[in-house]
Amino acid sequence: LKIAIIGTGNVGLVTGACFASKGHEVVCVDLDPERVSAINEARAPFYEVGLQALLEETVPDQLSATVDLETAVQGADVSIIAVGTPNTGSGIDLSQVETAALQIGKALRGRVDYQLVIVKSSVLPGVTDGRILPILENSSGRRAGEDLGVAMNPEFLREGQAVEDFLEPDRIVMGGSEERTWEIQERLFDGFGTPEIVRTTNATAETIKFASNALLATMISYSNEVGNVCSTVDGVDVTDVLRGVHLDKRLSPVLENGERVEPGFLSYLLAGCGFGGSCLPKDVRSFVDFGRERGVPMEMLRATLSVNAGQPERLVERIERRLGSLDGLSIAILGLSFKPGTSDIRETPSIPVARDLLGRGARLRVFDPVAQEAARAELGESGVYYSTGLSDAIDGVDAIVLMTSWPEFRELPRLLEEKRVTPLVFDGRRMLDRKSVAHYDGIGLGPQDERLDQLPDSTIDHEPIRKRV
Ligand SMILES: NC(=O)c1ccc[n+]([C@@H]2O[C@H](COP(=O)([O-])OP(=O)(O)OC[C@H]3O[C@@H](n4cnc5c(N)ncnc54)[C@H](O)[C@@H]3O)[C@@H](O)[C@H]2O)c1
């Protein structure tokens, strides 16, 4: 199929590159000419595992980029809207989606063939049929169900694993309103493994996306709340506690051969310094706003957000309790992106933690394998040294705060041993064995570290979940 994709952010560009790799002919459209040039030179404009290789494979034969939306849409069988849907603080901002719909509609005026327009951006229940469809109809002079199809196909990719998630989806939710809208989506996704296909209405498709993100965010805040209470109890470690919870066979089923399956889901049931990124925080906020407008206060989701908002400060306060005044101390922050595998720093907890530490008088040495430059734009230079690598970051510091679970940070115990130094290592992701460094502390550890030395060796596998399903 010939596809025009409007918006080349994490979702639009990954979608475009993956469709192109499956043989579709893709034109990606963006307002940003620099982004467009980068794509046409097969250079990924942001870091995402596997994206660069896909661009090298598909540009220019299967994939190209342009700022000319009209021509791209006119040459396509399917147009996909993948622009941003930020939350402004008082609700979801649909202006990018509405503008894209208006532009697509105008481009379709006078074209004779049927075209399917797919909304891939996350929009609240009712928006595709109630707001996007009328804009498309009015601006194109077409009628949905006759020479225009309007579908909602939410995206579930996780940044950092976006290419893998897109190429091997667990489910494809296909909203639509008439047979052709689903049929064309099935052609589009032909060859993407054998996922469950959910054929449904646009409003249900929209709701599935928000309900999914709300669940994931809630599991994280649940784990963090359990961690916060564990951190007040002597001799308790939240990682052991949650491991005990995971072993419930309803969460990690035991197969007939005795092998235990550890669903990827369990990685959301671990305590840490909070969720971030461009999706979970804003989608939960938007869902809460949506509920409030409809007279449903969404109390549980509001609590999910408030637990999350408190995590950075809790972490800094705990470090201060361990070290006393932070004024004049040198502290390394390891990890700036909101999760490993991506350079995205949107709503990353690392930024509020860094600002809070600076506010308490600490000097920072920060390091992230790919998100350093993005963070520099947020944090500036004052009091912050941007390190050249892990070893440089920890030179001469009083404390190290692990904020993102980049796999290379597992080298930390070895590096500290080599350097013969023993700063406090505060593990905001609980990724290191608590006995692997001399001075360890972390989210969800009981208050008295002497008691922790008496705890039996952890039976927890500190590697990421072993057997994902
Ligand atoms: N990032 C994720 O992991 C993720 C996952 C699932 C769903 N989503 C949803 O997908 C949507 C896109 O997310 P994102 O992170 O890729 O967004 P983004 O903000 O990073 O990128 C949007 C892009 O669209 C471009 N754009 C905006 N209006 C345009 C127009 N009229 N014409 C051409 N280009 C235009 C912008 O220049 C920008 O490059 C959002 O609704 C988001 O909630 C994101």
Side-chain angles (χ1 to χ4, degrees):
L1 288 166
K2 292 184 176 161
I3 307 169
I5 300 184
I6 321 305
T8 63
N10 294 62
V11 167
L13 187 53
V14 168
T15 301
C18 291
F19 278 144
S21 75
K22 296 286 182 186
H24 295 296
E25 231 175 275
V26 180
V27 180
C28 283
V29 183
D30 206 286
L31 301 169
D32 177 356
E34 274 180 33
R35 196 162 264 239
V36 164
S37 311
I39 298 167
N40 283 329
E41 288 162 20
R43 273 190 294 118
F46 49 86
Y47 181 76
E48 179 60 54
V49 178
L51 180 60
Q52 180 60 38
L54 269 192
L55 292 182
E56 284 166 22
E57 181 190 316
T58 55
V59 174
D61 294 344
Q62 295 302 126
L63 177 69
S64 64
T66 179
V67 289
D68 179 0
L69 181 145
E70 186 178 349
T71 309
V73 167
Q74 285 172 348
D77 305 307
V78 179
S79 291
I80 299 178
I81 300 177
V83 297
T85 48
N87 184 295
T88 54
S90 56
I92 195 165
D93 173 7
L94 289 176
S95 58
Q96 291 183 42
V97 180
E98 290 178 341
T99 305
L102 184 74
Q103 291 170 326
I104 292 171
K106 283 186 181 159
L108 288 177
R109 208 166 249 286
R111 226 189 78 143
V112 282
D113 318 342
Y114 177 93
Q115 181 169 123
L116 177 65
V117 179
I118 298 178
V119 178
K120 206 171 220 336
S121 300
S122 305
V123 293
L124 284 163
V127 166
T128 299
D129 289 341
R131 290 184 59 175
I132 308 302
L133 186 146
I135 293 175
L136 284 166
E137 282 192 332
N138 291 338
S139 54
S140 66
R142 291 162 176 254
R143 301 270 317 146
E146 291 174 13
D147 45 6
L148 174 72
V150 182
M152 202 283 150
N153 164 233
E155 183 48 61
F156 298 100
L157 61 77
R158 295 162 297 171
E159 284 184 31
Q161 288 129 295
V163 169
E164 183 192 324
D165 282 349
F166 199 95
L167 291 173
E168 285 165 43
D170 44 10
R171 72 204 119 153
I172 301 175
V173 175
M174 297 179 182
S177 49
E178 28 116 14
E179 190 53 33
R180 263 187 301 185
T181 56
W182 293 299
E183 253 173 33
I184 295 173
Q185 288 182 82
E186 277 170 14
R187 278 174 59 201
L188 207 52
F189 284 103
D190 191 27
F192 284 79
T194 49
E196 292 278 344
I197 303 245
V198 182
R199 271 185 176 220
T200 186
T201 62
N202 287 328
T204 300
E206 291 160 333
T207 314
I208 290 171
K209 175 65 192 171
F210 283 88
S212 299
N213 274 358
L215 174 64
L216 299 175
T218 301
M219 292 199 303
I220 296 171
S221 279
Y222 153 81
S223 309
N224 289 341
E225 188 150 78
V226 171
N228 293 341
V229 83
C230 288
S231 69
T232 68
V233 187
D234 282 351
V236 170
D237 181 345
V238 70
T239 53
D240 295 336
V241 171
L242 289 175
R243 176 65 172 167
V245 173
H246 293 180
L247 291 173
D248 182 325
K249 61 179 180 288
R250 289 165 296 188
L251 293 176
S252 54
V254 182
L255 302 177
E256 267 178 20
N257 65 6
E259 199 180 331
R260 192 180 280 272
V261 176
E262 296 191 340
F265 175 83
L266 297 183
S267 65
Y268 291 82
L269 286 172
L270 295 172
C273 48
F275 58 81
S278 64
C279 281
L280 289 194
K282 96 164 159 65
D283 285 357
V284 179
R285 265 183 234 128
S286 298
F287 209 23
V288 167
D289 294 335
F290 179 76
R292 194 186 45 239
E293 280 161 17
R294 289 170 179 252
V296 181
M298 306 288 247
E299 283 164 15
M300 200 184 69
L301 294 183
R302 282 195 289 142
T304 293
L305 289 171
S306 89
V307 169
N308 195 55
Q311 283 309 95
E313 193 180 352
R314 277 181 176 279
L315 184 154
V316 174
E317 281 174 353
R318 170 97 180 203
I319 297 172
E320 199 171 51
R321 269 202 302 281
R322 281 291 297 257
L323 295 179
S325 167
L326 303 180
D327 197 15
L329 296 191
S330 172
I331 300 182
I333 293 189
L334 301 183
L336 299 162
S337 60
F338 81 97
K339 65 189 285 195
T342 173
S343 55
D344 199 343
I345 61 157
R346 289 179 280 187
E347 305 222 26
T348 174
S350 304
I351 299 291
V353 163
R355 290 207 173 110
D356 195 345
L357 291 170
L358 286 169
R360 291 171 203 243
R363 285 171 288 111
L364 302 181
R365 298 175 77 85
V366 301
F367 175 65
D368 188 285
V370 294
Q372 201 106 309
E373 287 314 308
R376 193 192 294 268
E378 284 283 320
L379 287 174
E381 307 284 341
S382 175
V384 186
Y385 168 73
Y386 294 86
S387 311
T388 53
L390 181 57
S391 173
D392 178 41
I394 62 174
D395 254 357
V397 295
D398 301 291
I400 296 170
V401 189
L402 270 163
M403 291 296 300
T404 314
S405 51
W406 284 101
E408 44 266 64
F409 296 163
R410 291 185 193 284
E411 290 297 300
L412 194 58
R414 188 187 55 76
L415 272 176
L416 291 173
E417 211 172 303
E418 266 174 32
K419 287 179 186 272
R420 297 176 190 280
V421 287
T422 56
L424 172 70
V425 175
F426 190 90
D427 192 346
R429 294 291 176 189
R430 300 308 309 274
M431 64 182 287
L432 298 181
D433 190 317
R434 63 191 172 218
K435 291 188 177 171
S436 63
V437 296
H439 287 120
Y440 181 85
D441 197 4
I443 297 272
L445 269 180
Q448 292 184 1
D449 61 327
E450 312 87 61
R451 285 282 303 277
L452 289 170
D453 288 342
Q454 293 160 24
L455 289 179
D457 275 345
S458 174
T459 51
I460 293 170
D461 181 356
H462 284 271
E463 292 302 312
I465 303 295
R466 276 164 299 160
K467 186 171 164 49
R468 285 183 175 275
V469 287

